[in-house]
Amino acid sequence: MKFFTWLRNLLLLIAATIAHLNASADDGYRLWLKYDRIRNEATRTAYSNSFRYIAISGSSDILNNAAKELQTGLTAMTGKEIPVVKAPVKNQNGIILTISAGDDASGDGYSIQMQGANTVISAAKDAGVLYGSFALLRHLQQHLPVEKAAGQSSPKIQLRMLNHWDNPEGTIERGYAGGSLWKWYELPETVDPRYTDYARANASIGINGTVVNNVNASARFLTAEYLHKVAALAGVFRKYGIKTYLSIHFAAPKTLGGLKTSDPLDPEVRKWWTEKTKEIYSIIPDFGGFLVKANSEGEPGPQDYGRTHADGANMLAEALAPFKGVVIWRAFVYKADPKADRFKAAYEEFVPLDGKFAKNVIVQVKNGPIDFQPREPFSPLFGNMPQTPLGIEFQLTQEYLGFATHWVYEAPIFKECLDADTYVKGKGSTVARIVDGSLHDYPLTCMAGVANTGSDRNWTGNPMAQANWYAFGRFAWDHTLTAEAIAQEWTQLSLTTETKSVATISNMMLRSRDIYVDYNTPLGLSRPWTGSHYAPEPWQNRSSRPDWTAIYYHRADSLGLGFDRTADGSNALAQYRPEVRRTWDNAETCPLPYLFWFHHIPWSKKLSSGRNLWDELCHRFYTGADSVLWMQKQWAAVKTSIDPDIHADITGRLIKQHKEAIWWRDAWLLYLQTFSKQPIPAIYPKPERTLEEVKNTVNIYLMR
Ligand code: GCW
């Protein structure tokens, strides 16, 4: 009998343990706001002694949310309930949240000070207090000493925004993490609590604006019905200091308003936008403004009526001005001209318009001249529109970076561009200093990230992609941070605080982009052709327009490979200052990562690496694919410090990533070999497939 009781108890214990494990398994939902209980007792005790209460003077939704977040975070981390009170408690240590008009931190900035035994978070605006509260939590999640949290921080960019490419029927253009977060069919009556968690996540990294719909915009969003849905979202976001914006369909006066034209100089059209804007502000009083993709990839725009981008933007700007709204006008334009170089298009269309935009217009420029490629030179528009505030657009969703399967930490992409020197006002004229307004005294500044979020439980599909959202927000706040520091910080907040594992994972993160480039588009290859943006198709040569083929970009022929953009070719390099041009326009000295961006290189040409071109290509593709095996090993080594579900998830993705790296490698090399006529060096294993076989796998992938 005794034995059976013992056995029963044992079984119950096992069942309870399994249930507990399942309950605590990490599904990634909490992002970097995990607030796991601190295991180190000394740290836990130090924190509970320092934070016995949270006092807020004044009251607003944002302040209340700041206090609530601190309460949730600290209670979870220390295991002790921490009350929110109206005034500091005598003889007890606590956190004091306060608005102080004279606070030195500017704009949305904050300061954290130790006053006696109290931690005081103060700011000129309540949003600043919220950012300061999140900063303190970030600090404590890394288990650092309380007093080291003291300091001051102000954002370098005013509009720190996410751009969602979400459609009204719930899909996301270039989204790889499920459907849209916004449940348009349920809104406005049902407001998913997840919208609050979305807002918390954004506020925690300083994001203060969100464009909720796709730039390929449906006019439906401007109907009263949809505006009320958007208003319900805005109602949640505003409590976290986030303004809501809409992408607009430029032809809406016609399609929605029933007018004969959408000509921006037509008085009826202007009146329509004025009325529509008034209506929007009557429904969403703190509406941020419009994001516009016009005369780009088939979208309507002012050029349909012989008008300029400035005419179009200024019409909208006039409607928004009374409400202090802004127009964010995208510079992503290119024409179907077989003789033109798409690289040059945005510069050619926009530079002549410098100085012609209204005060509340920002021109939003993608980081590179083509389209979010794994590596691009910075867009030559930066520095060449001194009288027009230029915002920068990065892509967080991994359209060309292996969707949600491949592990690519994007911070090095952002940083590379922000740190690039344009030389427009001499040395040190970095893209960052243009975008933050300091170089040209822009009155408006903006950094946008095309969101990688979706309805997947873990928000971004691949758990590692959360780091890209995180890094974007941190850079938008402070572009002087390093990709490395952000990787370490994110890892500690999201995966583990174990020192060695943090070092291993952040090292993998930092190397992941170059590894991807090596097996995907080495030496400055690019692949923005139509199709899946996933499967390799370097042979693709047919499309309705030349710039929607692969061969347009890589220009492989019997002589060599690459796009000549020197004076002998398209001369796109002339769009850069001489100091920049000099680093790129000589094939002998051009850094290898940019080689095919600017040069057509003969197959047997000896490169600065000591290898000839063909051998260098083989080296890159093979090393890149092999490096994914290295990633697998590194990841296996951190297994004991990572939540088992997340570890298993990423392990699976890395296996797939390796297979696909080989797929890419073989597709490119076997195809390019038909031009180079050179063998793959004997040190590498031969591809297991023929070119025809690889093509076949791609055809199957693309099959409908
Ligand atoms: O990269 C291309 C994408 C399109 C996108 C476009 C843009 C929203 O393939 O899907 O459209 O860029 O940025 O407008």
Side-chain angles (χ1 to χ4, degrees):
M1 217 33 195
K2 254 195 175 161
F3 171 74
F4 283 112
T5 314
W6 174 82
L7 186 66
R8 200 194 61 177
N9 286 345
L10 181 70
L11 288 176
L12 281 175
L13 187 71
I14 294 173
T17 313
I18 291 174
H20 172 77
L21 279 179
N22 280 340
S24 64
D26 198 336
D27 59 11
Y29 183 83
R30 294 172 302 157
L31 295 159
W32 46 85
L33 302 173
K34 293 207 154 74
Y35 308 136
D36 282 339
R37 187 179 156 89
I38 297 167
R39 284 203 225 133
N40 180 301
E41 205 186 323
T43 313
R44 216 172 52 231
T45 313
Y47 286 3
S48 12
N49 289 341
S50 300
F51 310 123
R52 294 191 182 275
Y53 66 85
I54 300 153
I56 28 173
S57 53
S59 159
S60 75
D61 288 332
I62 296 180
L63 282 179
N64 291 342
N65 277 333
K68 200 166 134 198
E69 192 73 29
L70 284 166
Q71 187 181 38
T72 310
L74 290 171
T75 303
M77 284 194 278
T78 61
K80 290 231 170 94
E81 270 310 317
I82 297 166
V84 176
V85 294
K86 287 260 169 278
V89 183
K90 264 206 183 131
N91 304 325
Q92 272 199 27
N93 309 339
I95 299 178
I96 300 169
L97 304 182
T98 160
I99 300 285
S100 123
D103 202 275
D104 288 343
S106 57
D108 285 343
Y110 60 84
S111 60
I112 301 178
Q113 290 156 302
M114 301 301 142
Q115 280 177 10
N118 288 328
T119 308
V120 181
I121 303 177
S122 66
K125 293 193 209 161
D126 49 7
V129 172
L130 180 66
Y131 299 134
S133 303
F134 275 115
L136 178 64
L137 284 165
R138 190 158 59 228
H139 181 84
L140 302 176
Q141 281 175 282
Q142 295 172 73
H143 306 171
L144 299 166
V146 177
E147 62 284 0
K148 289 261 163 64
Q152 200 177 72
S153 183
S154 301
K156 296 199 163 42
I157 304 285
Q158 296 159 10
L159 308 182
R160 307 173 295 276
M161 330 223 336
L162 283 188
N163 290 181
H164 288 271
W165 288 355
D166 292 23
N167 298 314
E169 78 286 3
T171 57
I172 305 179
E173 181 153 350
R174 312 299 176 190
Y176 313 106
S180 176
L181 285 170
W182 326 131
K183 298 180 178 167
W184 297 118
Y185 296 120
E186 292 179 2
L187 285 162
E189 288 80 7
T190 306
V191 180
D192 189 337
R194 188 166 187 172
Y195 306 147
T196 300
D197 289 328
Y198 165 86
R200 285 175 55 233
N202 278 329
S204 75
I205 47 176
I207 289 173
N208 67 350
T210 184
V211 185
V212 292
N213 65 321
N214 191 353
V215 288
N216 292 330
S218 162
R220 216 197 288 182
F221 284 100
L222 293 173
T223 61
E225 186 194 351
Y226 269 76
L227 290 175
H228 284 284
K229 294 172 191 283
V230 175
L233 292 178
V236 176
F237 302 160
R238 102 169 35 93
K239 295 180 184 152
Y240 284 89
I242 298 167
K243 276 195 180 187
T244 303
Y245 298 69
L246 280 175
S247 296
I248 56 120
H249 185 70
F250 196 81
K254 252 170 101 174
T255 52
L256 198 64
L259 302 187
K260 286 203 183 63
T261 174
S262 295
D263 180 348
L265 298 193
D266 182 284
E268 287 301 306
V269 172
R270 298 178 83 84
K271 190 162 152 247
W272 189 87
W273 281 111
T274 305
E275 293 304 316
K276 185 47 78 182
T277 307
K278 270 192 202 145
E279 183 190 346
I280 296 175
Y281 278 91
S282 73
I283 300 173
I284 311 167
D286 58 347
F287 181 69
F290 299 138
L291 173 64
V292 195
K293 172 175 178 177
N295 294 119
S296 162
E297 298 187 329
E299 291 299 309
Q303 293 175 347
D304 302 347
Y305 307 96
R307 314 297 184 195
T308 67
H309 288 291
D311 294 330
N314 293 348
M315 166 192 65
L316 298 170
E318 192 180 276
L320 286 160
F323 307 98
K324 302 207 169 12
V326 296
V327 177
I328 305 173
W329 191 271
R330 294 176 87 228
F332 177 67
V333 294
Y334 58 103
K335 300 257 154 63
D337 177 353
K339 292 205 199 77
D341 177 0
R342 174 173 167 183
F343 192 114
K344 293 160 65 175
Y347 179 110
E348 284 169 351
E349 278 194 42
F350 278 86
V351 169
L353 298 176
D354 189 27
K356 302 217 162 85
F357 289 93
K359 281 204 167 54
N360 53 337
V361 177
I362 300 168
V363 170
Q364 183 167 294
V365 184
K366 288 189 183 182
N367 60 297
I370 300 281
D371 189 13
F372 299 136
Q373 294 305 288
R375 175 171 273 118
E376 282 197 47
F378 66 89
S379 164
L381 270 179
F382 292 114
N384 284 308
M385 296 189 69
Q387 298 175 70
T388 312
L390 295 184
I392 195 164
E393 177 176 320
F394 291 115
Q395 194 182 42
L396 317 186
T397 189
Q398 294 176 229
E399 176 178 359
Y400 297 99
L401 295 170
F403 295 3
T405 304
H406 295 231
W407 172 343
V408 181
Y409 174 54
E410 295 168 338
I413 304 182
F414 310 155
K415 191 67 179 168
E416 201 169 270
C417 178
L418 291 166
D419 283 353
D421 200 340
T422 67
Y423 283 92
V424 289
K425 281 192 173 181
K427 199 169 163 42
S429 307
T430 59
V431 170
R433 292 191 54 219
I434 290 160
V435 175
D436 75 12
S438 59
L439 201 72
H440 295 134
D441 289 327
Y442 289 157
L444 283 171
T445 56
C446 170
M447 201 184 279
V450 179
N452 60 354
T453 49
S455 59
D456 278 6
R457 181 73 191 156
N458 72 6
W459 303 87
T460 54
N462 188 332
M464 295 311 297
Q466 293 179 356
N468 295 333
W469 179 8
Y470 185 85
F472 166 75
R474 300 288 284 128
F475 277 139
W477 184 276
D478 183 0
H479 54 68
T480 66
L481 293 170
T482 65
E484 187 180 9
I486 297 174
Q488 285 165 356
E489 184 180 285
W490 176 83
T491 305
Q492 285 176 292
L493 268 46
S494 309
L495 295 176
T496 175
T497 45
E498 198 275 312
T499 321
K500 211 165 144 230
S501 301
V502 172
T504 304
I505 296 167
S506 42
N507 181 38
M508 290 173 75
M509 291 169 77
L510 288 171
R511 290 191 53 191
S512 62
R513 184 280 193 106
D514 278 337
I515 290 172
Y516 182 85
V517 166
D518 275 348
Y519 64 72
N520 189 275
T521 40
L523 306 174
L525 285 172
S526 58
R527 54 177 185 106
W529 55 86
T530 45
S532 73
H533 292 188
Y534 194 84
E537 306 167 83
W539 44 81
Q540 187 244 351
N541 59 2
R542 261 193 302 252
S543 173
S544 55
R545 18 192 308 186
D547 51 354
W548 285 354
T549 64
I551 58 166
Y552 174 92
Y553 295 95
H554 60 63
R555 314 235 152 175
D557 59 22
S558 60
L559 300 177
L561 180 63
F563 199 131
D564 184 356
R565 293 191 164 100
T566 67
D568 298 334
S570 79
N571 205 18
L573 274 165
Q575 295 182 340
Y576 293 100
R577 287 294 188 281
E579 294 88 338
V580 180
R581 221 182 299 157
R582 266 200 293 278
T583 59
W584 286 330
D585 74 357
N586 180 345
E588 301 295 327
T589 52
C590 177
L592 294 186
Y594 295 96
L595 196 60
F596 300 133
W597 274 108
F598 300 114
H599 302 280
H600 192 72
I601 306 286
W603 292 111
S604 302
K605 167 99 187 149
K606 186 133 183 196
L607 302 180
S608 54
S609 63
R611 298 182 192 91
N612 77 27
L613 177 62
W614 173 249
D615 288 351
E616 181 68 28
L617 274 169
C618 293
H619 170 72
R620 297 277 173 157
F621 276 113
Y622 273 89
T623 315
D626 282 353
S627 300
V628 184
L629 292 177
W630 171 82
M631 291 176 85
Q632 290 176 4
K633 282 204 194 96
Q634 298 288 303
W635 187 246
V638 299
K639 187 167 180 181
T640 51
S641 358
I642 307 283
D643 172 85
D645 283 13
I646 291 185
H647 194 271
D649 180 339
I650 291 167
T651 303
R653 288 177 206 267
L654 283 171
I655 296 171
K656 175 71 107 246
Q657 182 173 342
H658 182 239
K659 282 189 188 153
E660 292 180 346
I662 294 175
W663 191 33
W664 274 97
R665 178 195 79 190
D666 291 355
W668 269 113
L669 285 179
L670 292 171
Y671 168 73
L672 293 178
Q673 198 176 30
T674 63
F675 300 100
S676 82
K677 310 275 185 226
Q678 295 184 43
I680 291 176
I683 47 165
Y684 305 118
K686 285 218 162 22
E688 285 171 11
R689 295 167 281 209
T690 63
L691 178 57
E692 284 319 302
E693 284 165 349
V694 180
K695 281 188 179 173
N696 208 26
T697 59
V698 173
N699 289 341
I700 290 169
Y701 179 90
L702 296 174
M703 220 170 246
R704 282 173 193 276

